[in-house]
Amino acid sequence: MSAEEGLSSAISDWLIINSWWLLLPFVMLLVVAAFIVAFVLLLYMISPLISPKPLKLNGAHVVVTGGSSGIGKCIAMECYRQGAFITLVARDESKLVQAKKEVEKCAINDKQVVLCISVDVSKDYSQVESVIKQAQEKLGPVDMLVNCAGTAVSEKFEQLEVDRFRKLMEVNYLGSVYPTRAVITTMKERRMGRIMFVSSQAGQIGLFGYTAYSPSKFALRGLAESLQMEMKPYNIYVTVAYPPDTDTPGLAEENKTKPLETKMISETSGVCQPEQVAKIVVKDAVQGNFTSSVGPDGYMLAALTCGMSPVTSITEGLQQIVTMGLFRTIALFYLGSFDSIVRRCMIQREQSKAVDKSE
Ligand SMILES: NC(=O)C1=CN([C@@H]2O[C@H](COP(=O)(O)OP(=O)(O)OC[C@H]3O[C@@H](n4cnc5c(N)ncnc54)[C@H](OP(=O)(O)O)[C@@H]3O)[C@@H](O)[C@H]2O)C=CC1
Ligand SMILES: CCCCCCCCCCCCCCCC(=O)[C@@H](N)CO
């Protein structure tokens, strides 16, 4: 017997006789760690089963509602840059013609076409159906529909005209249902397609000033989740985009009546450029991701509000599991600061009212 063998047998003898059980917790820890590693590896092995195949935009027909301005126009330009054929849908014809020119500048080949359709997406379903049919006759079946037509109003609940609640629901919600309904049958037959709904960070959290707007954007999430469950076997993928404030004509209009509270709260998330938003949401829709978020606050909000929404990659699921508690903790601080903004604004208003009266 060599000296080395002698030593190791001495150690094992000692362990057997004395306290081998001291090693037990370490062994168990090792086994648990091995199981976790094996589980994660297994998840990654099956990940191709849950990750959709990306859509090829080159040669695809993309319909963009609200494509004549702001985020919608930038989405159209982004898709055109990747070789798509575009149908722009909005009401105002002169804005449509102007946007068409801008989109055409992004062409990458001379076969690409931009078609304009003037229609109100929120009023009459049969009209929406017939214009989508016209577009399909000219540019072929729709591969991707981007529901971006929408409008925002920010005012205090009691100052909002009662009619506004219905109007926003019509434009932002029904205006997304109708075009979707008009393209879905053909998509199902072809067993392919993408549907994007442009919601908002105000479709993930209810904020001061958005009592009419937020519900119309929250509604899109419910529609998207239900629709995705129906459409998955047909290889159709639904994306909900949640942009923060974005520098567009729509935002400028909204800012005219926006209460100070809403301005201060929204500043948390900053203002994005529409080109940047378009790039991110188009990429997510092409990949078939259910949730598309913009910026670090957007990322946190998406994980925090994932609820029962579908996952489209293992990484996404794991990130949600790991970060949920931490982000909720951060969110409580944000909520506290929003409440204090609202309280401070109220006190200030009351003070200035008192001063006015005393003068
Ligand atoms: N800008 C922002 O801060 C954010 C915007 N969003 C959402 O993104 C979307 C686009 O916003 P944004 O780019 O700012 O808006 P804009 O006001 O710049 O553009 C809105 C587009 O929608 C069209 N549109 C509006 N109503 C209708 C209708 N009834 N039928 C057909 N088309 C219509 C408009 O054309 P026309 O008026 O000629 O019909 C225009 O093309 C909206 O849904 C908005 O809620 C989400 C988060 C942040
Ligand atoms: C961990 C938790 C993080 C929480 C961060 C919260 C940030 C709140 C900012 C909300 C901004 C709302 C933008 C609405 C934009 C919009 O839809 C209109 N401008 C449309 O015109």
Side-chain angles (χ1 to χ4, degrees), residues 13-52:
D13 282 354
W14 182 84
L15 279 173
I16 292 164
I17 299 161
N18 293 293
S19 41
W20 59 269
W21 46 267
L22 274 178
L23 288 178
L24 208 59
F26 296 105
V27 173
M28 276 168 70
L29 214 72
L30 220 74
V31 170
V32 171
F35 265 108
I36 292 174
V37 169
F39 179 65
V40 170
L41 282 178
L42 189 82
L43 281 177
Y44 274 99
M45 272 163 65
I46 59 162
S47 72
L49 294 178
I50 62 165
S51 298

Side-chain angles (χ1 to χ4, degrees), residues 151-153 199-203 205 207 210 213 217 243-246 248 250-251 254-255 258 265-270 296-298 300-301 304 326-328 330-332 334 338:
T151 177
V153 183
S199 176
S200 156
Q201 284 187 358
I205 39 176
L207 292 173
Y210 285 130
Y213 178 68
K217 292 296 185 182
D245 269 344
T246 306
T248 65
L251 181 67
E254 178 198 343
N255 280 341
K258 197 178 263 182
I265 291 170
S266 302
E267 269 166 17
T268 314
S269 221
D297 281 323
M300 288 198 282
L301 275 176
L304 197 57
L326 172 69
F327 289 169
R328 180 60 180 161
I330 300 173
L332 293 181
Y334 274 98
F338 297 164

Side-chain angles (χ1 to χ4, degrees), residues 251-305:
L251 181 67
E253 189 59 35
E254 178 198 343
N255 280 341
K256 290 179 187 165
T257 60
K258 197 178 263 182
L260 180 62
E261 287 90 335
T262 315
K263 275 188 192 136
M264 291 171 74
I265 291 170
S266 302
E267 269 166 17
T268 314
S269 221
V271 180
C272 274
Q273 289 309 308
E275 293 82 8
Q276 178 194 2
V277 172
K279 252 204 179 96
I280 293 169
V281 301
V282 167
K283 191 165 157 242
D284 280 318
V286 162
Q287 286 179 351
N289 294 341
F290 183 75
T291 306
S292 178
S293 63
V294 179
D297 281 323
Y299 173 78
M300 288 198 282
L301 275 176
L304 197 57
T305 61

Side-chain angles (χ1 to χ4, degrees), residues 172-185:
N172 294 348
Y173 174 65
L174 291 179
S176 299
V177 173
Y178 294 166
T180 304
R181 185 67 204 277
V183 301
I184 209 73
T185 312

Side-chain angles (χ1 to χ4, degrees), residues 65-72 89-92 95 119-122 147-152 171-172 198-201 213 217 242-251 254:
T65 76
S68 70
S69 169
I71 299 176
V89 180
R91 290 163 306 177
D92 186 321
K95 272 202 296 182
V119 73
D120 187 329
V121 287
S122 69
N147 289 294
C148 192
T151 177
V171 180
N172 294 348
V198 180
S199 176
S200 156
Q201 284 187 358
Y213 178 68
K217 292 296 185 182
Y242 300 99
D245 269 344
T246 306
D247 184 11
T248 65
L251 181 67
E254 178 198 343

Side-chain angles (χ1 to χ4, degrees), residues 127-161:
Q127 220 180 345
V128 176
E129 193 183 27
S130 98
V131 296
I132 292 285
K133 214 170 174 186
Q134 282 169 30
Q136 307 221 55
E137 274 159 17
K138 287 194 181 125
L139 298 184
V142 178
D143 296 288
M144 176 153 112
L145 166 68
V146 178
N147 289 294
C148 192
T151 177
V153 183
S154 179
E155 254 178 305
K156 280 197 229 163
F157 183 64
E158 66 275 18
Q159 276 166 2
L160 280 158
E161 254 178 69

